[in-house]
Amino acid sequence: MNNRDTLYSTPVETIGDWVFNDEIVKVFPDMIKRSIPGYSNIISMIGILARSFVKPNSNIYDLGCSLGAAALSVCRNVSAPNCTIVAVDNSPDMIRQLRQYINNIKTKLNIVILENDILDIEIKNASMVILNFTLQFLKPLSRLKLIQNIWEGLNPCGILILSEKFSFEDSKINKLMSNMHYHFKLANDYSKLEIIQKNQMLKNVMLTDSISTHKTRLQKVGFVHIEIWFQCFNFGSIIALK
């Protein structure tokens, strides 16, 4: 599945809110590659981090797993015995496609795929939890609850990987980063029309936080060792260690 994303290359008569439906799923790998700077680096390094943090007889959670890129990166890099990856997403179309893909490949770790709201998932015996561009789609009031659940279910010395699009408290920096991202998408052959229409669809659905907001939230639930390990423009990833 490697279809070119041309979904919004022509004017959309009625622009609603963004939904991860079947038409998005069909072009998702291309869309992510051309929209999120550094995405492939983050996915690769999640696997590398997993080598150090995933322990035998533990669980790895990929919350908001979409098509399972992060979970599969862990699978490619970890051979610890008796480990299970729990991949969760609330999009039926994403989950259906992921199940079809997983059924056709061999993986070193057991993968459990769940179509569910990540807020309803019990985190337990976790050596690694991945939130890869997921938290930004939750309602702001639900974000602390999820991070608290992760903290409680994460084993000592476990790791949370939190990748997000960031907003910036300095308005000039925020504008600069947004402008750099805009030109990144233009350089990846998205038209101005495509960029505008996607932004309109996402504006009520993807509500970003500043880096300091993320860090404060993580500290509030108990994380002490917190830092950005990757950033490109207004996209980045934070590690939090228990």
Side-chain angles (χ1 to χ4, degrees), residues 61-77:
Y61 290 83
D62 184 2
L63 303 177
C65 62
S66 61
L67 296 179
L72 291 168
S73 182
V74 173
C75 272
R76 287 190 293 269
N77 285 276

Side-chain angles (χ1 to χ4, degrees), residues 51-204:
R51 293 181 191 176
S52 297
F53 286 93
V54 171
K55 305 302 180 186
N57 308 304
S58 69
N59 297 321
I60 305 102
Y61 290 83
D62 184 2
L63 303 177
C65 62
S66 61
L67 296 179
L72 291 168
S73 182
V74 173
C75 272
R76 287 190 293 269
N77 285 276
V78 172
S79 299
N82 301 318
C83 288
T84 296
I85 298 179
V86 183
V88 188
D89 205 288
N90 66 355
S91 165
D93 296 302
M94 285 287 188
I95 290 296
R96 182 176 62 251
Q97 184 61 50
L98 177 57
R99 282 181 174 146
Q100 289 176 3
Y101 181 68
I102 294 297
N103 287 339
N104 291 321
I105 63 171
K106 291 183 178 180
T107 59
K108 293 189 288 184
L109 303 181
N110 180 41
I111 301 181
V112 175
I113 302 171
L114 301 177
E115 180 190 328
N116 210 332
D117 187 330
I118 60 175
L119 291 169
D120 295 331
I121 298 297
E122 181 185 4
I123 310 298
K124 56 184 179 180
N125 187 30
S127 55
M128 172 179 273
V129 178
I130 303 160
L131 284 170
N132 210 35
F133 303 102
T134 299
L135 199 67
Q136 60 202 23
F137 289 104
L138 267 60
K139 294 180 180 178
L141 292 178
S142 299
R143 297 176 187 182
L144 181 62
K145 176 187 175 183
L146 178 61
I147 298 299
Q148 181 71 52
N149 289 344
I150 291 169
W151 166 260
E152 291 173 359
L154 199 62
N155 293 339
C157 301
I159 185 172
L160 167 63
I161 301 172
L162 173 62
S163 309
E164 290 278 290
K165 181 180 181 181
F166 300 131
S167 56
F168 296 88
E169 293 159 351
D170 184 316
S171 60
K172 288 189 177 181
I173 293 296
N174 197 60
K175 184 177 180 180
L176 174 61
M177 294 293 189
S178 296
N179 190 49
M180 294 170 78
H181 183 220
Y182 173 78
H183 284 283
F184 171 84
K185 289 183 284 188
L186 287 177
N188 281 317
D189 295 325
Y190 278 123
S191 67
K192 293 180 181 180
L193 176 65
E194 288 175 292
I195 295 169
I196 290 170
Q197 291 190 140
K198 285 183 180 180
N199 285 344
Q200 288 178 323
M201 296 177 75
L202 284 165
K203 68 179 181 180
N204 296 321

